[in-house]
Amino acid sequence: MKFVILMVVFVAVASRCEGVTSKFRRKREATEDMPFDSDVFSVPDGYNAPQQVHITQGDLNGNAVIVSWVTPTEPGSSTVLYGTTKDKLDKSAKGKHGQYKYYNYTSGFIHHATLKHLKYDTKYYYAVGVGQTVRKFWFKTPPQVGPDVPYTFGLIGDLGQTYDSNRTLSHYESNMDAEAVLFVGDLSYADHYADHDNRRWDSWGRFVERSTAYQPWIWTAGNHELDFAPELGETVPFKPFTNRYHTPYKASNSTAPFWYSIKRGPAYIIVLASYSAYGKYTPQYQWLNEELPKVNRSETPWLIVLMHSPWYNSYNYHYMEGETMRVMFEKWFVQYKVDMVFAGHVHAYERSHRISNTAYNIINEKCTPVPNQDAPVYITIGDGGNIEGLANNMTEPQPSYSAFREASFGHAIFEIKNKTHAYYTWHRNQDGEKVTADSMWFTNRIWLRTDDSSNVV
Ligand SMILES: [Fe+2]
């Protein structure tokens, strides 16, 4: 009996102090974008048919949805018809359309309309392309914001439009319970091409429509959304992204679409901008300083932060790029007990223990991550499978803060069960199959004061 207890203690201590570098070796293979004539990029039939349909949350609480789409030939209608019965779309929302030019490219007509005053937990049907080629879709609104409503999020990052990207998206779609995607940045990788070939923004929009038209994707801006190219005369950062992908930033008193927050069921989600200023006195700094104290954990027990560039990353790619933001904000994350931080950017997977590195004051030499149960778990999920390929070169030895790392493509699912427990799984793409390679139970430290660092399943 004593031996068993000793073994349990040993395993618990060992799992806190050491990390695992997965032994799985992904086959090295060429990574290339799917060609324009692939069926996943097909243009819908019909005159001026709406394409690239996508939705995102449209307000703070989940009673509104922003519907966006592109018409290729002429503006057509910016109106969305919707209703709770499939054949009776008795409500309408009038949106607006715009176009942008990028170097020698001119976009289609990009429409955005916000459906407001929706009921919680309700299936809505909607139609776009009114008066010309009508296309119909549906979505389900989230449950009323509150502590004990289950809700399941998907997590995808750095997706791109390769054959691997297609596998990742298909694997995500095979989870029938996931209701919304938390997307941690780097969407189309159009900037990989000469002149930032913006036709790749269009093909990406058509590729992901099979998911984005039916459930909201919560957008984080990555470096591949910058499209800053003075050599092409393009000096307005984020031009294609901001024209194509709207966020409900004003609802959380943000002054720019790149940082904002939403409540969705039991979660409070804060989206940060790695590529917008965050130093002291900047708008983002000021906003986050005022935002964190507003989070009521009795209402939304789960506090999640999304960003693109990770703070804790033990790969030899983008190493320490997130450091300046960590220096600015990590103390606040510990103070407000952020549950988890999801980032992308590094094209691999990694999960940290609960650690912090906030004691340093220039002269005390305390600049090492230490276990801290008030700190978030940091997860890097930039493994969607884009054209830049895999990050497979790791720093050695594995730092003690790193709990699990693997150079693979995949996605994750975060299932909030109630106010005290959530189950997290990471699924690698393995020879076309979806394999669950990392999982753990999260306990909510606001409601259950337990150490979950040994809860790895
Ligand atoms: Fe990136």
Side-chain angles (χ1 to χ4, degrees):
M1 186 61 187
K2 274 182 186 166
F3 175 74
V4 172
I5 291 169
L6 270 174
M7 279 305 288
V8 168
V9 170
F10 173 77
V11 168
V13 169
S15 65
R16 260 202 297 277
C17 300
E18 292 173 12
V20 172
T21 296
S22 169
K23 293 199 168 27
F24 178 81
R25 291 287 169 270
R26 190 186 150 75
K27 276 187 214 159
R28 294 295 293 163
E29 54 196 354
T31 304
E32 55 179 329
D33 275 355
M34 296 177 283
F36 276 125
D37 60 1
S38 304
D39 57 353
V40 296
F41 298 144
S42 61
V43 174
D45 292 334
Y47 176 71
N48 205 32
Q51 57 170 267
Q52 307 174 47
V53 180
H54 54 93
I55 63 171
T56 195
Q57 185 160 320
D59 66 352
L60 190 61
N61 291 307
N63 298 115
V65 164
I66 302 170
V67 178
S68 307
W69 70 98
V70 175
T71 46
T73 313
E74 58 164 301
S77 172
S78 292
T79 295
V80 179
L81 299 178
Y82 65 102
T84 53
T85 309
K86 196 172 183 178
D87 301 318
K88 192 176 161 217
L89 306 183
D90 52 357
K91 295 186 172 61
S92 71
K94 193 166 175 13
K96 290 181 178 169
H97 75 268
Q99 261 186 311
Y100 74 91
K101 288 186 191 305
Y102 188 95
Y103 187 53
N104 58 2
Y105 166 92
T106 303
S107 75
F109 303 91
I110 304 171
H111 304 255
H112 303 279
T114 305
L115 283 46
K116 297 175 183 167
H117 311 299
L118 304 172
K119 284 182 270 183
Y120 284 121
D121 216 0
T122 302
K123 187 169 183 178
Y124 282 89
Y125 299 88
Y126 70 98
V128 289
V130 176
Q132 294 178 331
T133 300
V134 175
R135 294 184 68 208
K136 291 182 180 176
F137 306 90
W138 54 266
F139 61 81
K140 202 166 160 272
T141 52
Q144 182 163 3
V145 172
D148 266 325
V149 285
Y151 200 82
T152 300
F153 292 100
L155 282 142
I156 303 176
D158 302 65
L159 185 58
Q161 44 195 305
T162 70
Y163 295 96
D164 292 308
S165 320
N166 197 23
R167 285 179 200 117
T168 300
L169 186 58
S170 297
H171 291 167
Y172 167 67
E173 289 173 296
S174 71
N175 186 316
M176 303 307 286
D177 297 325
E179 297 162 275
V181 170
L182 305 178
F183 190 84
V184 292
D186 283 358
L187 285 64
S188 74
Y189 288 77
D191 60 350
H192 182 84
Y193 292 89
D195 305 333
H196 295 224
D197 188 349
N198 273 226
R199 293 176 305 157
R200 281 286 174 185
W201 274 106
D202 291 311
S203 59
W204 193 82
R206 293 196 294 271
F207 160 49
V208 295
E209 184 192 85
R210 67 194 205 225
S211 176
T212 58
Y214 296 93
Q215 52 176 254
W217 284 37
I218 308 304
W219 302 111
T220 311
N223 53 308
H224 288 279
E225 277 66 74
L226 274 162
D227 283 307
F228 176 71
E231 70 280 13
L232 304 177
E234 292 298 344
T235 54
V236 178
F238 303 108
K239 192 202 265 185
F241 176 70
T242 48
N243 275 280
R244 292 166 183 274
Y245 295 91
H246 281 191
T247 64
Y249 66 98
K250 287 179 186 162
S252 55
N253 297 318
S254 167
T255 49
F258 316 111
W259 63 89
Y260 61 99
S261 56
I262 57 164
K263 300 178 198 177
R264 197 162 181 88
Y268 201 103
I269 296 154
I270 294 179
V271 179
L272 292 184
S274 298
Y275 305 100
S276 303
Y278 44 75
K280 199 162 184 180
Y281 313 119
T282 61
Q284 183 170 200
Y285 179 99
Q286 202 172 314
W287 176 82
L288 186 60
N289 188 27
E290 289 167 17
E291 186 67 7
L292 282 165
K294 289 181 192 165
V295 183
N296 175 0
R297 304 296 277 274
S298 300
E299 183 189 51
T300 48
W302 297 94
L303 177 53
I304 297 169
V305 176
L306 310 182
M307 60 180 66
H308 186 63
S309 188
W311 295 356
Y312 287 98
N313 155 39
S314 71
Y315 288 81
N316 285 318
Y317 300 82
H318 304 305
Y319 190 62
M320 289 184 75
E321 284 182 17
E323 186 67 3
T324 47
M325 185 189 260
R326 186 189 70 76
V327 169
M328 295 310 300
F329 294 150
E330 188 178 19
K331 270 189 186 156
W332 293 351
F333 282 19
V334 174
Q335 180 186 347
Y336 290 98
K337 295 187 173 63
V338 171
D339 288 292
M340 55 265 311
V341 176
F342 293 109
H345 202 34
V346 178
H347 302 158
Y349 175 71
E350 185 163 25
R351 174 173 56 79
S352 80
H353 294 294
R354 290 198 186 279
I355 38 90
S356 66
N357 187 2
T358 55
Y360 184 52
N361 71 353
I362 293 195
I363 52 173
N364 65 4
E365 298 181 3
K366 292 182 178 173
C367 51
T368 306
V370 292
N372 183 345
Q373 282 302 303
D374 287 339
V377 167
Y378 293 89
I379 290 173
T380 302
I381 187 104
D383 53 357
N386 64 72
I387 195 167
E388 291 181 342
L390 200 63
N392 60 352
N393 191 335
M394 303 169 182
T395 62
E396 298 292 352
Q398 185 171 10
S400 59
Y401 69 73
S402 172
F404 182 89
R405 58 184 187 173
E406 180 179 310
S408 278
F409 297 136
H411 76 282
I413 299 287
F414 187 61
E415 296 171 56
I416 298 175
K417 304 288 188 188
N418 52 38
K419 73 177 176 186
T420 57
H421 286 82
Y423 189 57
Y424 167 84
T425 47
W426 175 67
H427 309 275
R428 82 162 68 102
N429 303 347
Q430 183 174 329
D431 298 329
E433 296 296 313
K434 181 177 97 173
V435 175
T436 303
D438 185 33
S439 58
M440 74 177 289
W441 279 98
F442 279 89
T443 47
N444 193 303
R445 295 148 303 146
I446 300 292
W447 297 100
L448 265 188
R449 188 72 198 184
T450 56
D451 177 352
D452 61 13
S453 64
S454 58
N455 266 344
V456 179
V457 177

